[in-house]
Structures are given as structure tokens and as C-alpha cells.
Amino acid sequence: MNNDIREAAEWVRHSERLLVFTGAGISAESGIPTFRDDDGFWREFPPERFATWDGLFKTALHQPRAFAEFVHAVIAPIAAAEPNAAHRAIADAERHVDVTVVTQNIDRLHWEAGTTTTHEVHGSMFEIVDRRRRFRRYVSRQQLRRVATAIERASRGLLTLPRVMWAVRRIAGIGVRGIHFPNLVLFGDALAEPAWSASRRAAEQVDCVIQVGCSGMVYPAATLPEIARAQGATVIDVDPHSGQGDIWLRGTATQIVPELMNTAFAPR
Ligand code: NAD
């Protein structure tokens, strides 16, 4: 076993409160691609057209096929995903230590793995809201799968805006309560509340942070480990490509996280 894992495991083992902060990388091995990595989601779907509500609205209006391809590319992998060994190891750690999970992901995989407290600071693909976010309803993974299938069917013919809107009507469109759409944080939006305030409070109280699959480039979420570090917490990074923490465990989420938790909580 690598010495860094041993050292990191000691910090985890002796922590009273643990913050696990996750980004797209933790779900890569559940089949959901990250946006920033080489296979570059952003290259195919440039953020200025696809990562703001205004850009998305204009794309839907003028290029319904591109809009449909984007929605499909986002939801189809999420609809098919299951928690992986890293999500499960984090949920299991609750048997040993007080764990708060803060995720930038919208895929609900921490909940499904059994984590009790997950703050979703970038919202959720499964929560449908109205414009003022007063009305909320939830869709299941199976319903997301149906939307993905409806888009695939519609894409076989001439893809007009009404056809796209019909295909995605379960998650976005205009209904009796006005417009509805997934509760997501896009570029330029404030982070989801009360999740972000609760995450900041948690960061101030933990003695150890495990950061998994985060590029550290998505702000303001990326400030969270720094908030914890300023209070004296040790930051452990799990990522195959980069690490900014006190200890960088270089590898994928499923290679590292289960081993880290097993080492930390093995009976002695
Ligand atoms: P990010 O900050 O989430 O970066 C992804 C990081 O994951 C990179 O540092 C990369 O090196 C790392 N990584 C890649 N494969 C990994 C693996 N197998 N194990 C561990 N780490 C791995 O940035 P992003 O991908 O550009 O995402 C932008 C925003 O969109 C983020 O808020 C992200 O959470 C969100 N997003 C969510 C999902 C999801 O819900 N699953 C998927 C894509 C993007």
C-alpha cells in the first residue's frame, strides 16, 4: 500500500467530523462523463451556448436539434447510472465517523448509495421547479430514462421545437403552473440554498476533508476545502490528474476511496 494512503487514513481515522466534497470525477466510473476532461463535453457543447439559461433558451429556439442533443447527452448517462464503490464506501463511513457530503453533482448517486446528509450545491437533475422555485416535484431515474428515450425517438424525424418540447415535457416546459425545469445551478447562478450555507457551516466545523474528483476550477464551490483548511482541517485530494490538498492520492475514485476508508476504519 502506498504511504500516502496510510498517512491519509490516519487523518481520516482520527477525525471527529469528516467532510467529503465531490465533483464530476466521483461519478465517472458510474458512466457519467466529466465536463472538463479530455473527452471534453464542453468542446462539443460550448458553455456560452449550453451552460447558461439564456444560452440554452436561445439554442432551443434557434437550434432545437442541438438543444435536444445536449439534453440527451446530460440525462442519458445519469438515467443509466448506479452508485459505484466510492459512493458506497463514503456512505459506509457513517458507521465510524460523523460525515457530511457536499456534492457538485446533480446525479443523486450519494443519496442512492445511502449517505444520510448530502448537500447538492449545484442542484439536482431529479428536482423539477417553477421559476420562483416555490413548487417542487421529483422525477425518478426511470422517468429520466423515458425522457432520454423520447428524445431518441423524436431525433429520428425532423426535429422541430414543438417536438423537442414534447419529448422533454416531464422535466421542462410550460404547464398549468407556468414554466418548469430541473433545479440546476448554471454559470452565473448563485449556488443552491439552503445547501450552500449548510455546506459552509459544515466546512468550518470539520477536521478533515476528502475531496474526490473535483478540478478545483468550479467557483465558488471550490472555496469549500479552503474554508475548512483555514480552520485547521487537513485536505486529502483523490483525483487521477491533479491535487491541491495537503495530501494528493493519485488515482480514480473507485481505486482510492474504498481502500482509504478500509485502511482508516479497519479494526486494530
Ligand atoms: P469538475 O470540477 O467536477 O472536474 C472533474 C474532475 O474529476 C477532474 O479534476 C478530473 O481529473 C477528475 N476525474 C476524472 N475521472 C476521475 C475518476 N475516475 N476518479 C476521480 N476523479 C476523476 O469539473 P467538470 O467535470 O468540468 O464539471 C463541471 C460542473 O458540472 C461540476 O459542478 C460538476 O459537478 C458538474 N457535473 C456533474 C456531473 C454529475 O452530476 N455526475 C457530471 C459532469 C459535470
Side-chain angles (χ1 to χ4, degrees):
M1 185 198 310
N2 125 6
N3 282 335
D4 287 346
I5 288 204
R6 267 187 228 280
E7 188 193 342
E10 283 304 306
W11 285 107
V12 174
R13 182 181 176 84
H14 292 109
S15 68
E16 282 177 19
R17 294 202 185 96
L18 181 65
L19 177 73
V20 181
F21 178 50
T22 64
I26 192 169
S27 298
E29 289 159 284
S30 289
I32 306 175
T34 65
F35 286 175
R36 231 165 272 269
D37 282 309
D38 287 347
D39 33 358
F41 199 82
W42 290 139
R43 214 170 296 153
E44 194 179 347
F45 301 106
E48 53 286 5
R49 275 172 55 210
F50 294 97
T52 64
W53 293 111
D54 189 44
L56 268 181
F57 181 71
K58 286 187 183 140
T59 306
L61 212 55
H62 302 299
Q63 294 167 293
R65 183 170 286 277
F67 174 75
E69 282 169 359
F70 171 75
V71 176
H72 188 268
V74 172
I75 67 171
I78 293 179
E82 289 180 4
N84 63 44
H87 296 106
R88 289 195 298 272
I90 292 163
D92 288 348
E94 288 186 17
R95 289 187 282 132
H96 306 279
V97 60
D98 180 339
V99 184
T100 300
V101 172
V102 176
T103 189
Q104 301 171 76
N105 296 342
I106 56 170
D107 57 29
R108 228 183 140 74
L109 291 177
H110 285 295
W111 289 103
E112 249 163 63
T115 288
T116 315
T117 311
T118 306
H119 300 305
E120 296 170 311
V121 291
H122 287 167
S124 168
M125 194 67 223
F126 296 82
E127 194 178 84
I128 309 301
V129 291
D130 67 347
R131 206 150 61 93
R132 294 189 176 166
R133 290 177 160 83
R134 281 192 192 146
F135 155 78
R136 279 160 208 266
R137 75 181 158 79
Y138 293 88
V139 290
S140 63
R141 219 171 275 282
Q142 196 185 3
Q143 284 170 317
L144 270 193
R145 242 175 263 141
R146 286 199 201 115
V147 176
T149 308
I151 297 173
E152 285 157 26
R153 277 205 205 104
S155 302
R156 288 183 205 132
L158 178 68
L159 207 48
T160 57
L161 183 58
R163 279 182 67 123
V164 178
M165 295 320 290
W166 179 253
V168 303
R169 68 193 182 285
R170 280 191 185 89
I171 55 169
I174 303 175
V176 284
R177 294 172 198 259
I179 62 166
H180 60 273
F181 49 87
N183 191 14
L184 301 178
V185 173
L186 300 190
F187 282 21
D189 293 346
L191 293 191
E193 286 295 359
W196 179 233
S197 298
S199 305
R200 290 171 59 98
R201 277 197 302 277
E204 285 165 4
Q205 290 166 9
V206 296
D207 31 36
C208 185
V209 178
I210 307 176
Q211 178 168 230
V212 189
C214 303
S215 63
M217 289 161 74
V218 186
Y219 279 88
T223 58
L224 213 58
E226 287 313 313
I227 293 173
R229 202 194 232 157
Q231 308 290 326
T234 304
V235 177
I236 300 163
D237 255 326
V238 178
D239 197 293
H241 303 125
S242 67
Q244 306 94 34
D246 299 297
I247 303 174
W248 175 22
L249 303 178
R250 189 174 192 164
T252 73
T254 67
Q255 286 165 350
I256 304 282
V257 178
E259 187 179 353
L260 174 63
M261 296 304 194
N262 284 340
T263 311
F265 301 122
R268 294 189 182 174

